[in-house]
PDB file of all heavy atoms in Angstrom:
ATOM      1  N   ASN A 264      82.661  80.558 144.858  1.00  0.00           N
ATOM      2  CA  ASN A 264      83.993  79.954 144.993  1.00  0.00           C
ATOM      3  C   ASN A 264      84.571  79.493 143.669  1.00  0.00           C
ATOM      4  O   ASN A 264      85.787  79.596 143.439  1.00  0.00           O
ATOM      5  CB  ASN A 264      83.926  78.787 145.982  1.00  0.00           C
ATOM      6  CG  ASN A 264      83.718  79.258 147.411  1.00  0.00           C
ATOM      7  OD1 ASN A 264      84.091  80.371 147.756  1.00  0.00           O
ATOM      8  ND2 ASN A 264      83.114  78.409 148.242  1.00  0.00           N
ATOM      9  N   ALA A 265      83.727  78.947 142.768  1.00  0.00           N
ATOM     10  CA  ALA A 265      84.221  78.464 141.479  1.00  0.00           C
ATOM     11  C   ALA A 265      84.697  79.620 140.613  1.00  0.00           C
ATOM     12  O   ALA A 265      85.748  79.543 139.966  1.00  0.00           O
ATOM     13  CB  ALA A 265      83.124  77.670 140.766  1.00  0.00           C
ATOM     14  N   GLU A 266      83.932  80.711 140.589  1.00  0.00           N
ATOM     15  CA  GLU A 266      84.325  81.876 139.790  1.00  0.00           C
ATOM     16  C   GLU A 266      85.643  82.456 140.285  1.00  0.00           C
ATOM     17  O   GLU A 266      86.502  82.864 139.490  1.00  0.00           O
ATOM     18  CB  GLU A 266      83.247  82.955 139.874  1.00  0.00           C
ATOM     19  CG  GLU A 266      81.956  82.625 139.158  1.00  0.00           C
ATOM     20  CD  GLU A 266      80.937  83.740 139.372  1.00  0.00           C
ATOM     21  OE1 GLU A 266      80.537  83.974 140.522  1.00  0.00           O
ATOM     22  OE2 GLU A 266      80.553  84.362 138.367  1.00  0.00           O
ATOM     23  N   LYS A 267      85.798  82.515 141.599  1.00  0.00           N
ATOM     24  CA  LYS A 267      86.985  83.138 142.181  1.00  0.00           C
ATOM     25  C   LYS A 267      88.276  82.469 141.739  1.00  0.00           C
ATOM     26  O   LYS A 267      89.330  83.112 141.675  1.00  0.00           O
ATOM     27  CB  LYS A 267      86.911  83.078 143.708  1.00  0.00           C
ATOM     28  CG  LYS A 267      85.902  84.032 144.329  1.00  0.00           C
ATOM     29  CD  LYS A 267      85.903  83.875 145.845  1.00  0.00           C
ATOM     30  CE  LYS A 267      84.898  84.804 146.496  1.00  0.00           C
ATOM     31  NZ  LYS A 267      84.857  84.605 147.963  1.00  0.00           N
ATOM     32  N   ARG A 268      88.238  81.181 141.438  1.00  0.00           N
ATOM     33  CA  ARG A 268      89.456  80.431 141.165  1.00  0.00           C
ATOM     34  C   ARG A 268      90.236  81.010 139.987  1.00  0.00           C
ATOM     35  O   ARG A 268      91.480  81.009 139.997  1.00  0.00           O
ATOM     36  CB  ARG A 268      89.126  78.961 140.900  1.00  0.00           C
ATOM     37  CG  ARG A 268      88.394  78.284 142.042  1.00  0.00           C
ATOM     38  CD  ARG A 268      88.373  76.794 141.848  1.00  0.00           C
ATOM     39  NE  ARG A 268      89.719  76.256 141.892  1.00  0.00           N
ATOM     40  CZ  ARG A 268      90.071  75.114 141.304  1.00  0.00           C
ATOM     41  NH1 ARG A 268      89.190  74.412 140.616  1.00  0.00           N
ATOM     42  NH2 ARG A 268      91.308  74.674 141.394  1.00  0.00           N
ATOM     43  N   VAL A 269      89.534  81.513 138.992  1.00  0.00           N
ATOM     44  CA  VAL A 269      90.197  82.115 137.835  1.00  0.00           C
ATOM     45  C   VAL A 269      90.189  83.634 137.943  1.00  0.00           C
ATOM     46  O   VAL A 269      91.216  84.296 137.769  1.00  0.00           O
ATOM     47  CB  VAL A 269      89.517  81.666 136.524  1.00  0.00           C
ATOM     48  CG1 VAL A 269      90.134  82.395 135.327  1.00  0.00           C
ATOM     49  CG2 VAL A 269      89.639  80.159 136.349  1.00  0.00           C
ATOM     50  N   ILE A 270      89.041  84.188 138.259  1.00  0.00           N
ATOM     51  CA  ILE A 270      88.889  85.649 138.236  1.00  0.00           C
ATOM     52  C   ILE A 270      89.758  86.317 139.290  1.00  0.00           C
ATOM     53  O   ILE A 270      90.356  87.378 139.048  1.00  0.00           O
ATOM     54  CB  ILE A 270      87.405  86.028 138.412  1.00  0.00           C
ATOM     55  CG1 ILE A 270      86.577  85.510 137.223  1.00  0.00           C
ATOM     56  CG2 ILE A 270      87.244  87.537 138.543  1.00  0.00           C
ATOM     57  CD1 ILE A 270      85.075  85.716 137.357  1.00  0.00           C
ATOM     58  N   ASN A 271      89.870  85.720 140.476  1.00  0.00           N
ATOM     59  CA  ASN A 271      90.673  86.342 141.525  1.00  0.00           C
ATOM     60  C   ASN A 271      92.138  86.475 141.142  1.00  0.00           C
ATOM     61  O   ASN A 271      92.815  87.430 141.536  1.00  0.00           O
ATOM     62  CB  ASN A 271      90.547  85.549 142.827  1.00  0.00           C
ATOM     63  CG  ASN A 271      89.323  85.965 143.627  1.00  0.00           C
ATOM     64  OD1 ASN A 271      88.490  86.713 143.129  1.00  0.00           O
ATOM     65  ND2 ASN A 271      89.210  85.488 144.854  1.00  0.00           N
ATOM     66  N   VAL A 272      92.650  85.509 140.381  1.00  0.00           N
ATOM     67  CA  VAL A 272      94.044  85.612 139.933  1.00  0.00           C
ATOM     68  C   VAL A 272      94.180  86.758 138.944  1.00  0.00           C
ATOM     69  O   VAL A 272      95.131  87.551 139.004  1.00  0.00           O
ATOM     70  CB  VAL A 272      94.516  84.286 139.303  1.00  0.00           C
ATOM     71  CG1 VAL A 272      95.932  84.444 138.739  1.00  0.00           C
ATOM     72  CG2 VAL A 272      94.480  83.166 140.331  1.00  0.00           C
ATOM     73  N   LEU A 273      93.220  86.878 138.042  1.00  0.00           N
ATOM     74  CA  LEU A 273      93.277  87.934 137.040  1.00  0.00           C
ATOM     75  C   LEU A 273      93.245  89.320 137.670  1.00  0.00           C
ATOM     76  O   LEU A 273      93.939  90.233 137.233  1.00  0.00           O
ATOM     77  CB  LEU A 273      92.117  87.791 136.047  1.00  0.00           C
ATOM     78  CG  LEU A 273      92.181  86.627 135.060  1.00  0.00           C
ATOM     79  CD1 LEU A 273      90.905  86.546 134.247  1.00  0.00           C
ATOM     80  CD2 LEU A 273      93.383  86.774 134.132  1.00  0.00           C
ATOM     81  N   ARG A 274      92.442  89.483 138.689  1.00  0.00           N
ATOM     82  CA  ARG A 274      92.297  90.823 139.243  1.00  0.00           C
ATOM     83  C   ARG A 274      93.129  91.041 140.512  1.00  0.00           C
ATOM     84  O   ARG A 274      93.001  92.075 141.171  1.00  0.00           O
ATOM     85  CB  ARG A 274      90.827  91.146 139.490  1.00  0.00           C
ATOM     86  CG  ARG A 274      90.124  90.303 140.514  1.00  0.00           C
ATOM     87  CD  ARG A 274      88.625  90.586 140.500  1.00  0.00           C
ATOM     88  NE  ARG A 274      88.003  90.282 141.780  1.00  0.00           N
ATOM     89  CZ  ARG A 274      86.712  90.453 142.042  1.00  0.00           C
ATOM     90  NH1 ARG A 274      85.914  90.911 141.095  1.00  0.00           N
ATOM     91  NH2 ARG A 274      86.230  90.187 143.236  1.00  0.00           N
ATOM     92  N   GLY A 275      93.980  90.060 140.864  1.00  0.00           N
ATOM     93  CA  GLY A 275      94.933  90.255 141.938  1.00  0.00           C
ATOM     94  C   GLY A 275      94.415  90.014 143.330  1.00  0.00           C
ATOM     95  O   GLY A 275      95.018  90.464 144.306  1.00  0.00           O
ATOM     96  N   ASP A 276      93.313  89.290 143.470  1.00  0.00           N
ATOM     97  CA  ASP A 276      92.767  88.993 144.794  1.00  0.00           C
ATOM     98  C   ASP A 276      93.354  87.735 145.411  1.00  0.00           C
ATOM     99  O   ASP A 276      93.118  87.454 146.583  1.00  0.00           O
ATOM    100  CB  ASP A 276      91.232  88.836 144.706  1.00  0.00           C
ATOM    101  CG  ASP A 276      90.534  90.177 144.570  1.00  0.00           C
ATOM    102  OD1 ASP A 276      91.120  91.182 144.989  1.00  0.00           O
ATOM    103  OD2 ASP A 276      89.416  90.218 144.026  1.00  0.00           O
ATOM    104  N   ASP A 277      94.089  86.963 144.612  1.00  0.00           N
ATOM    105  CA  ASP A 277      94.706  85.741 145.129  1.00  0.00           C
ATOM    106  C   ASP A 277      96.034  86.105 145.789  1.00  0.00           C
ATOM    107  O   ASP A 277      96.936  86.643 145.129  1.00  0.00           O
ATOM    108  CB  ASP A 277      94.932  84.758 143.975  1.00  0.00           C
ATOM    109  CG  ASP A 277      95.354  83.383 144.454  1.00  0.00           C
ATOM    110  OD1 ASP A 277      96.168  83.312 145.395  1.00  0.00           O
ATOM    111  OD2 ASP A 277      94.867  82.382 143.894  1.00  0.00           O
TER     112      ASP A 277
END
Side-chain angles (χ1 to χ4, degrees):
N264 289 334
E266 290 177 297
K267 287 179 181 177
R268 302 192 64 205
V269 175
I270 296 175
N271 275 9
V272 175
L273 289 174
R274 64 189 205 179
D276 284 336
D277 189 319

